[in-house]
Amino acid sequence: MGTSKVSFVIVQLFAFFTWHAIAQEYVRMASNTNAAEAMQFLREYDREASGMCYRVTMSQWRFVTNITEYNRRRMLEELALNSKFERLSWRKAAAYDATRVSDVQSRRQLVKIVQGSRAALPEDKFNEIQQIITEMKEIYNAAKICPYGQKPYDSHLQRDSPFYPQSRQEPYDQTRSHTQDIYQPFGPGFPHETPENSNYCDMQLDPEISRILAHSRIESELVYVWKSFREQTGPKMKNRFMRYVQLANQAAVSTGYSDAGDQMRASYEDPSFRASLEEIYNQVAPLYKQLFTYVRRKLIQRYGERVVRPDGPIPAHLLGNMWAQNWKSIMDLVMPFPQAPNIDVTSEMLRQGFTPLRMFQMAEEFYTSMGMKPAPPEFWRGSMLARPAERSVQCTASAWDFCNRIDYRIKQCTEVTMQDLVSTHHEMAHIQYYLQYAEQPQLFRDGANPAFHEAVANAVTLSVYNIQHLQRVGLYNNRTHDPYQVSMNFLMTMALEKVAYLPFAFMVDQWRWSVFEDGVQNMNSRWWQMKLRFQGVIPPMQRTEADFDPGSKYHVISDQEYIKYFLGTVLEFQLYEQLCQAAGQAGHLHECDVYRSRDAGRLLSEIMQPGASKTASEIIRTMTRGRTNRISPESLVRYFRPLELWLRVQNRDEPLIGWSSNYQDIGLFAPQRGHGIKATYSMVLLVLSMMQFLFL
Ligand code: X8Z
Ligand code: ZN
């Protein structure tokens, strides 16, 4: 055993005994057995927490809809007050012995106050971890890169480059990149010598970099932006992230968990959570591998075998997205029937004179047609439904609950496109959820578990971005093309978004939990090990431990759990199928539309109304009319069944469905030589995991 291993064991032992002492302390603290007093505390908490939540939410709203230094300061002040309130409430709640409170709902509320918080940390450390997260977010948001293929000081050329987006609003012109190759070797020191205040090295993730990854088909350009964005994020955050891991673990241990991953998983209230996740992953993996194999062949046709090996993993920069998580932008390369159309009703919306307001009215009518609630007048008065001309705003679409049972808003820089029409229905689903659980106490005004909100919102959008629905609302009318071909194109678009996403959504927290559990050594190599194992992707160039590629994903550095997106995607199809059954729709799942079904509306309301007052398993039991209490991927697999059959035919001559990895693949990220026993140990682990993959 190497010295590092010995010290690791000592640290673990020390951590265990420290934890034990603190956990004992926590248990001793929970000594107040007066249930009546606990319930009185919860009544006061509900009132104060709602008020606090209103103030913080309002300050955040004011900032994101009008970005000024003054609004930022006000928001930070409110957040600081909120932290104080959180710490105080935590101490009070932790003093009660929840097991003595017979009322289930009150007990549940007490547990909710205590379990997800880091308030068990001493004040300086509590403030420190919050500060670290804020700093990491700031670094991330400030990341900018120079345009591709230009010397950084030649600003004139930069602006004229066909690679430089002409305006933030203008669509990226892929054809110009195809026909012109203006690649110039970079000058010495590029891009490190770029002046900090350069006004042309100002390409941000959103929209410029994302647009290049989505639309450019020039491999060297894709490599460049992929690499440059990682240079501007991960390494600048790695040390902070390591300290964050340490503090998050301390907080978790002080609250009675084994580590911060254990604490994150607690909100799912499932003792066999990790096994359940793995089971779901294994059930969707065959479908993913069919899609993967087909896409790989198409990428080889575009980029050649020099870039993509016929039985190998796919290099991560070719899939149309910074994290290879959503492949819908490469639809042009993989479309099953290029002669049939891809459903896009944008031009029809423009022809019919749609406006952002009309799109939201249409979304509202979707819910009222099912007998659900209309948006209140405050929603129409307060929301920001289009980009304002006169001030700077954050444009990511979001739905807001101001915690006062009156004020609900949406912020969306809506443009008249089909994508934004789907998005209006998605955001309105969040508003509908808020309205449905409004009468619950503040602590229960949330999804049944973290996966529910997104799952519900996306389940509705499955009924909206849907050939039948678009026909019913007079936006689509296909008389000329083969319906089978149109359907396959549609299902491929959906698969590139949903099926391709699953292994990514699964691996992010597998990695994060392994860091919390096993420590911060070789974080980057472990990231890529998991990306290879679950997604079948490799980096396009050598990675080392000086890189910190997980830091290129916002949810990792901003302390947002990610497994909810994996479960949410699976649950979304399960819920959709249940709504379809309630609506009496018996055809293909991907053709079901629940618009105007009162029965589907009743079921959806029943799922939404309890908020978080019931466990996810209770809600799933309601949702499936008692058939199961577990999240299952069967509906997702059923939805894609027609496409899966088509893919199997396309892949019939492929030597390998899925991927095999070799030493070169692993060498791209294996820990560097020269680190003695640690490197050898890691290499052995890597080879073992590769063998395990090959023989499974
Ligand atoms: O973070 C988001 C939304 C907010 S809930 C913008 N999403 C995940 C991501 O970007 O990774 C939506 C899809 C998954
Ligand atoms: Zn959402």
Side-chain angles (χ1 to χ4, degrees):
M1 198 187 273
T3 37
S4 61
K5 197 77 189 154
V6 173
S7 53
F8 180 69
V9 171
I10 292 172
V11 168
Q12 292 290 310
L13 279 172
F14 180 73
F16 174 77
F17 286 117
T18 317
W19 168 76
H20 201 67
I22 297 171
Q24 291 295 311
E25 176 60 27
Y26 171 59
V27 172
R28 250 203 319 279
M29 267 178 71
S31 57
N32 188 335
T33 55
N34 187 333
E37 210 181 283
M39 287 170 73
Q40 176 59 23
F41 158 72
L42 284 173
R43 275 189 290 277
E44 281 166 23
Y45 174 86
D46 190 59
R47 195 169 29 78
E48 287 171 23
S50 306
M52 189 54 77
C53 174
Y54 175 78
R55 290 179 55 161
V56 172
T57 310
M58 187 56 87
S59 72
Q60 289 173 320
W61 172 268
R62 289 200 175 119
F63 175 66
V64 297
T65 58
N66 185 11
I67 302 173
T68 64
E69 191 44 40
Y70 173 77
N71 283 345
R72 198 177 81 92
R73 265 206 312 277
R74 290 287 301 271
M75 178 181 72
L76 292 178
E77 281 162 21
E78 291 297 341
L79 284 169
L81 280 180
N82 190 47
S83 290
K84 286 210 168 74
F85 174 73
E86 184 189 334
R87 287 182 63 75
L88 200 67
S89 306
W90 187 90
R91 287 200 79 77
K92 288 184 189 164
Y96 293 105
D97 180 355
T99 59
R100 297 294 185 92
V101 179
S102 57
D103 176 48
V104 181
Q105 298 285 294
S106 304
R107 196 161 63 223
R108 198 168 163 76
Q109 288 184 66
L110 280 176
V111 171
K112 274 195 181 291
I113 298 174
V114 175
Q115 82 173 8
S117 173
R118 298 203 170 107
L121 282 176
E123 192 170 0
D124 56 341
K125 290 187 173 167
F126 182 79
N127 293 338
E128 186 185 352
I129 190 166
Q130 291 193 335
Q131 177 65 22
I132 289 173
I133 295 166
T134 306
E135 283 170 15
M136 289 195 289
K137 287 193 211 171
E138 278 169 5
I139 295 170
Y140 193 97
N141 289 331
K144 287 180 180 160
I145 68 168
C146 305
Y148 164 73
Q150 299 291 320
K151 291 182 193 138
Y153 306 113
D154 197 346
S155 68
H156 216 69
L157 269 178
Q158 303 282 327
R159 292 288 176 196
D160 292 345
S161 160
F163 298 93
Y164 196 88
Q166 302 297 299
S167 108
R168 288 184 179 224
Q169 292 306 309
E170 204 173 290
Y172 191 95
D173 185 352
Q174 187 191 326
T175 54
R176 295 213 279 170
S177 299
H178 273 267
T179 50
Q180 297 179 43
D181 190 347
I182 58 148
Y183 177 80
Q184 297 170 359
F186 302 131
F190 179 82
H192 310 289
E193 289 177 10
T194 305
E196 280 295 299
N197 62 356
S198 156
N199 63 359
Y200 43 83
C201 286
D202 62 353
M203 289 180 31
Q204 295 188 323
L205 178 63
D206 200 13
E208 293 94 345
I209 301 175
S210 301
R211 233 177 240 182
I212 292 174
L213 281 162
H215 301 294
S216 170
R217 302 290 176 249
I218 297 174
E219 207 249 328
S220 54
E221 181 177 31
L222 296 172
V223 167
Y224 167 75
V225 293
W226 190 96
K227 178 170 181 277
S228 306
F229 182 67
R230 278 165 178 74
E231 280 167 1
Q232 294 308 317
T233 48
K236 298 182 180 186
M237 292 183 253
K238 187 178 171 187
N239 287 341
R240 285 181 181 83
F241 189 83
M242 293 196 311
R243 177 68 177 151
Y244 153 83
V245 169
Q246 201 176 32
L247 292 169
N249 272 344
Q250 270 181 34
V253 166
S254 309
T255 319
Y257 297 99
S258 56
D259 61 56
D262 189 26
Q263 183 172 21
M264 282 182 172
R265 293 187 295 272
S267 53
Y268 291 93
E269 303 176 283
D270 175 1
S272 49
F273 187 55
R274 294 183 91 162
S276 312
L277 289 173
E278 207 150 310
E279 197 183 321
I280 295 174
Y281 172 79
N282 288 332
Q283 283 171 272
V284 295
L287 172 60
Y288 175 71
K289 285 181 184 167
Q290 289 292 343
L291 178 69
F292 175 97
T293 306
Y294 170 76
V295 166
R296 179 179 55 204
R297 195 170 63 253
K298 293 287 162 184
L299 290 174
I300 292 173
Q301 284 167 11
R302 177 68 188 79
Y303 297 104
E305 289 191 14
R306 193 188 54 79
V307 180
V308 188
R309 220 175 47 249
D311 63 349
I314 298 176
H317 61 309
L318 303 180
L319 290 159
N321 172 275
M322 181 56 85
W323 312 275
Q325 70 176 64
N326 181 335
W327 303 354
K328 71 175 182 202
S329 299
I330 59 160
M331 179 62 176
D332 57 322
L333 300 180
V334 303
M335 198 158 167
F337 296 99
Q339 65 279 19
N342 218 352
I343 296 161
D344 189 350
V345 298
T346 301
S347 54
E348 185 57 25
M349 288 170 68
L350 289 167
R351 202 188 62 77
Q352 293 186 21
F354 270 63
T355 60
L357 179 63
R358 179 160 161 208
M359 288 157 73
F360 275 94
Q361 286 165 340
M362 191 173 165
E364 182 192 40
E365 199 268 331
F366 185 93
Y367 297 95
T368 52
S369 84
M370 296 167 76
M372 300 179 82
K373 295 182 188 260
E378 288 76 11
F379 172 84
W380 299 106
R381 259 203 304 277
S383 288
M384 185 193 100
L385 304 182
R387 184 200 281 269
E390 76 289 1
R391 57 184 201 269
S392 163
V393 299
Q394 271 178 19
C395 265
T396 323
S398 50
W400 297 61
D401 177 350
F402 286 76
C403 320
N404 61 358
R405 301 194 165 109
I406 297 168
D407 207 341
Y408 305 96
R409 303 182 193 179
I410 284 176
K411 167 179 75 70
Q412 182 174 304
C413 297
T414 317
E415 290 179 18
V416 180
T417 63
M418 183 179 72
Q419 196 174 330
D420 278 9
L421 183 69
V422 175
S423 182
T424 55
H425 288 74
H426 174 106
E427 297 306 331
M428 281 299 246
H430 289 310
I431 298 287
Q432 187 62 225
Y433 213 156
Y434 300 151
L435 293 168
Q436 294 283 345
Y437 61 50
E439 294 314 315
Q440 296 289 344
Q442 173 66 24
L443 281 160
F444 294 155
R445 282 183 237 149
D446 204 349
N449 72 25
F452 264 75
H453 245 289
E454 282 304 294
V456 165
N458 284 336
V460 174
T461 64
L462 290 178
S463 180
V464 175
Y465 179 45
N466 171 305
I467 298 172
Q468 275 36 254
H469 181 71
L470 295 171
Q471 264 167 356
R472 281 172 87 183
V473 296
L475 283 171
Y476 181 74
N477 190 1
N478 168 42
R479 286 182 203 278
T480 46
H481 292 96
D482 177 352
Y484 174 76
Q485 297 188 351
V486 174
S487 274
M488 282 309 119
N489 282 350
F490 168 73
L491 281 176
M492 177 60 82
T493 311
M494 294 302 284
L496 295 174
E497 184 168 340
K498 308 283 182 182
V499 179
Y501 179 56
L502 289 167
F504 174 80
F506 178 71
M507 64 75 53
V508 172
D509 278 356
Q510 298 295 323
W511 172 84
R512 185 173 1 213
W513 298 338
S514 98
V515 170
F516 285 136
E517 204 170 346
D518 303 328
V520 294
Q521 70 287 353
N522 296 332
M523 284 194 292
N524 211 39
S525 136
R526 279 152 66 197
W527 172 258
W528 283 108
Q529 208 178 318
M530 288 190 181
K531 292 208 57 102
L532 175 56
R533 177 165 169 212
F534 297 115
Q535 280 187 278
V537 302
I538 44 170
M541 80 283 299
Q542 186 70 46
R543 312 308 287 159
T544 72
E545 288 308 311
D547 301 307
F548 178 53
D549 295 324
S552 73
K553 184 67 195 165
Y554 188 71
H555 301 67
V556 170
I557 56 88
S558 62
D559 187 41
Q560 296 181 45
E561 66 128 309
Y562 207 79
I563 201 66
K564 68 176 176 192
Y565 294 110
F566 174 72
L567 282 176
T569 307
V570 174
L571 181 59
E572 145 190 358
F573 286 88
Q574 194 176 6
L575 170 57
Y576 175 60
E577 184 165 39
Q578 295 306 319
L579 295 177
C580 292
Q581 279 176 12
Q585 302 240 340
H588 281 303
L589 192 49
H590 70 274
E591 288 171 350
C592 145
D593 176 21
V594 298
Y595 181 50
R596 293 187 184 146
S597 165
R598 299 264 158 172
D599 289 326
R602 249 189 304 281
L603 180 60
L604 192 51
S605 304
E606 250 181 276
I607 291 163
M608 289 174 161
Q609 266 159 19
S613 66
K614 292 189 180 164
T615 61
S617 90
E618 285 173 289
I619 305 279
I620 295 171
R621 181 89 52 219
T622 306
M623 176 179 107
T624 59
R625 298 278 173 246
R627 276 191 296 275
T628 180
N629 64 350
R630 300 178 69 78
I631 295 183
S632 153
E634 282 168 31
S635 306
L636 182 147
V637 171
R638 213 171 354 261
Y639 182 99
F640 287 107
R641 186 76 184 142
L643 181 74
E644 189 179 7
L645 293 175
W646 183 86
L647 285 170
R648 281 181 193 278
V649 175
Q650 305 308 306
N651 292 337
R652 63 185 174 260
D653 297 329
E654 287 286 335
L656 178 64
I657 305 297
W659 57 95
S660 69
S661 43
N662 62 25
Y663 275 97
Q664 264 172 347
D665 300 328
I666 289 170
L668 283 168
F669 55 82
Q672 305 87 326
R673 285 166 177 278
H675 287 257
I677 197 152
K678 227 161 108 186
T680 320
Y681 175 69
S682 304
M683 197 64 188
V684 168
L685 280 184
L686 278 172
V687 173
L688 281 177
S689 74
M690 184 177 119
M691 282 165 57
Q692 172 206 351
F693 174 76
L694 280 177
F695 293 118
L696 270 181

mmCIF file of all heavy atoms in Angstrom, residues 306-320:
data_model
loop_
_atom_site.group_PDB
_atom_site.id
_atom_site.type_symbol
_atom_site.label_atom_id
_atom_site.label_comp_id
_atom_site.label_asym_id
_atom_site.label_seq_id
_atom_site.Cartn_x
_atom_site.Cartn_y
_atom_site.Cartn_z
ATOM 1 N N ARG A 306 -10.547 8.386 -39.776
ATOM 2 C CA ARG A 306 -9.387 8.951 -39.080
ATOM 3 C C ARG A 306 -9.846 9.637 -37.778
ATOM 4 O O ARG A 306 -9.139 9.681 -36.790
ATOM 5 C CB ARG A 306 -8.698 9.966 -39.998
ATOM 6 C CG ARG A 306 -7.317 10.406 -39.567
ATOM 7 C CD ARG A 306 -6.839 11.546 -40.465
ATOM 8 N NE ARG A 306 -7.783 12.667 -40.520
ATOM 9 C CZ ARG A 306 -7.911 13.594 -39.577
ATOM 10 N NH1 ARG A 306 -7.153 13.550 -38.497
ATOM 11 N NH2 ARG A 306 -8.783 14.571 -39.713
ATOM 12 N N VAL A 307 -11.058 10.141 -37.797
ATOM 13 C CA VAL A 307 -11.591 10.868 -36.635
ATOM 14 C C VAL A 307 -12.441 9.959 -35.745
ATOM 15 O O VAL A 307 -12.393 10.046 -34.522
ATOM 16 C CB VAL A 307 -12.428 12.096 -37.111
ATOM 17 C CG1 VAL A 307 -12.992 12.860 -35.926
ATOM 18 C CG2 VAL A 307 -11.573 13.016 -37.966
ATOM 19 N N VAL A 308 -13.202 9.060 -36.392
ATOM 20 C CA VAL A 308 -14.096 8.176 -35.613
ATOM 21 C C VAL A 308 -13.814 6.723 -35.986
ATOM 22 O O VAL A 308 -13.945 6.346 -37.150
ATOM 23 C CB VAL A 308 -15.586 8.487 -35.900
ATOM 24 C CG1 VAL A 308 -16.488 7.706 -34.944
ATOM 25 C CG2 VAL A 308 -15.878 9.979 -35.813
ATOM 26 N N ARG A 309 -13.444 5.899 -35.002
ATOM 27 C CA ARG A 309 -13.170 4.481 -35.279
ATOM 28 C C ARG A 309 -14.488 3.719 -35.448
ATOM 29 O O ARG A 309 -15.417 3.960 -34.672
ATOM 30 C CB ARG A 309 -12.372 3.905 -34.114
ATOM 31 C CG ARG A 309 -11.291 2.970 -34.544
ATOM 32 C CD ARG A 309 -10.388 2.445 -33.453
ATOM 33 N NE ARG A 309 -11.063 1.952 -32.271
ATOM 34 C CZ ARG A 309 -11.009 2.552 -31.099
ATOM 35 N NH1 ARG A 309 -10.343 3.679 -30.955
ATOM 36 N NH2 ARG A 309 -11.604 2.031 -30.058
ATOM 37 N N PRO A 310 -14.579 2.794 -36.418
ATOM 38 C CA PRO A 310 -15.863 2.134 -36.695
ATOM 39 C C PRO A 310 -16.476 1.365 -35.514
ATOM 40 O O PRO A 310 -17.681 1.232 -35.446
ATOM 41 C CB PRO A 310 -15.537 1.174 -37.844
ATOM 42 C CG PRO A 310 -14.335 1.766 -38.492
ATOM 43 C CD PRO A 310 -13.556 2.449 -37.420
ATOM 44 N N ASP A 311 -15.635 0.827 -34.612
ATOM 45 C CA ASP A 311 -16.235 0.130 -33.462
ATOM 46 C C ASP A 311 -15.897 0.861 -32.153
ATOM 47 O O ASP A 311 -16.053 0.319 -31.071
ATOM 48 C CB ASP A 311 -15.734 -1.318 -33.391
ATOM 49 C CG ASP A 311 -14.230 -1.370 -33.162
ATOM 50 O OD1 ASP A 311 -13.575 -0.296 -33.280
ATOM 51 O OD2 ASP A 311 -13.699 -2.449 -32.864
ATOM 52 N N GLY A 312 -15.435 2.091 -32.292
ATOM 53 C CA GLY A 312 -14.919 2.785 -31.102
ATOM 54 C C GLY A 312 -15.894 3.761 -30.491
ATOM 55 O O GLY A 312 -17.039 3.901 -30.941
ATOM 56 N N PRO A 313 -15.437 4.447 -29.450
ATOM 57 C CA PRO A 313 -16.239 5.524 -28.876
ATOM 58 C C PRO A 313 -16.283 6.725 -29.821
ATOM 59 O O PRO A 313 -15.494 6.800 -30.766
ATOM 60 C CB PRO A 313 -15.497 5.881 -27.584
ATOM 61 C CG PRO A 313 -14.175 5.218 -27.657
ATOM 62 C CD PRO A 313 -14.143 4.263 -28.798
ATOM 63 N N ILE A 314 -17.183 7.662 -29.544
ATOM 64 C CA ILE A 314 -17.294 8.859 -30.392
ATOM 65 C C ILE A 314 -16.555 10.020 -29.713
ATOM 66 O O ILE A 314 -16.758 10.261 -28.517
ATOM 67 C CB ILE A 314 -18.780 9.241 -30.614
ATOM 68 C CG1 ILE A 314 -19.517 8.125 -31.343
ATOM 69 C CG2 ILE A 314 -18.899 10.555 -31.385
ATOM 70 C CD1 ILE A 314 -21.017 8.371 -31.535
ATOM 71 N N PRO A 315 -15.697 10.741 -30.446
ATOM 72 C CA PRO A 315 -15.070 11.934 -29.858
ATOM 73 C C PRO A 315 -16.135 12.971 -29.501
ATOM 74 O O PRO A 315 -17.049 13.242 -30.280
ATOM 75 C CB PRO A 315 -14.150 12.425 -30.969
ATOM 76 C CG PRO A 315 -13.910 11.228 -31.838
ATOM 77 C CD PRO A 315 -15.183 10.443 -31.796
ATOM 78 N N ALA A 316 -16.014 13.544 -28.308
ATOM 79 C CA ALA A 316 -17.107 14.307 -27.701
ATOM 80 C C ALA A 316 -17.456 15.600 -28.422
ATOM 81 O O ALA A 316 -18.533 16.140 -28.203
ATOM 82 C CB ALA A 316 -16.753 14.607 -26.245
ATOM 83 N N HIS A 317 -16.564 16.098 -29.284
ATOM 84 C CA HIS A 317 -16.839 17.397 -29.897
ATOM 85 C C HIS A 317 -17.714 17.316 -31.148
ATOM 86 O O HIS A 317 -18.043 18.344 -31.730
ATOM 87 C CB HIS A 317 -15.514 18.091 -30.240
ATOM 88 C CG HIS A 317 -14.669 17.317 -31.219
ATOM 89 N ND1 HIS A 317 -14.352 15.994 -31.062
ATOM 90 C CD2 HIS A 317 -14.087 17.691 -32.385
ATOM 91 C CE1 HIS A 317 -13.612 15.591 -32.074
ATOM 92 N NE2 HIS A 317 -13.433 16.608 -32.889
ATOM 93 N N LEU A 318 -18.071 16.074 -31.567
ATOM 94 C CA LEU A 318 -18.775 15.935 -32.849
ATOM 95 C C LEU A 318 -20.289 15.841 -32.696
ATOM 96 O O LEU A 318 -21.005 15.687 -33.680
ATOM 97 C CB LEU A 318 -18.279 14.658 -33.560
ATOM 98 C CG LEU A 318 -16.769 14.561 -33.816
ATOM 99 C CD1 LEU A 318 -16.439 13.254 -34.516
ATOM 100 C CD2 LEU A 318 -16.291 15.747 -34.650
ATOM 101 N N LEU A 319 -20.782 15.919 -31.469
ATOM 102 C CA LEU A 319 -22.188 15.581 -31.248
ATOM 103 C C LEU A 319 -23.108 16.798 -31.117
ATOM 104 O O LEU A 319 -24.259 16.684 -30.710
ATOM 105 C CB LEU A 319 -22.294 14.656 -30.029
ATOM 106 C CG LEU A 319 -21.722 13.258 -30.345
ATOM 107 C CD1 LEU A 319 -21.340 12.495 -29.085
ATOM 108 C CD2 LEU A 319 -22.699 12.443 -31.176
ATOM 109 N N GLY A 320 -22.568 17.966 -31.441
ATOM 110 C CA GLY A 320 -23.438 19.144 -31.547
ATOM 111 C C GLY A 320 -23.671 19.897 -30.252
ATOM 112 O O GLY A 320 -24.505 20.802 -30.206
#
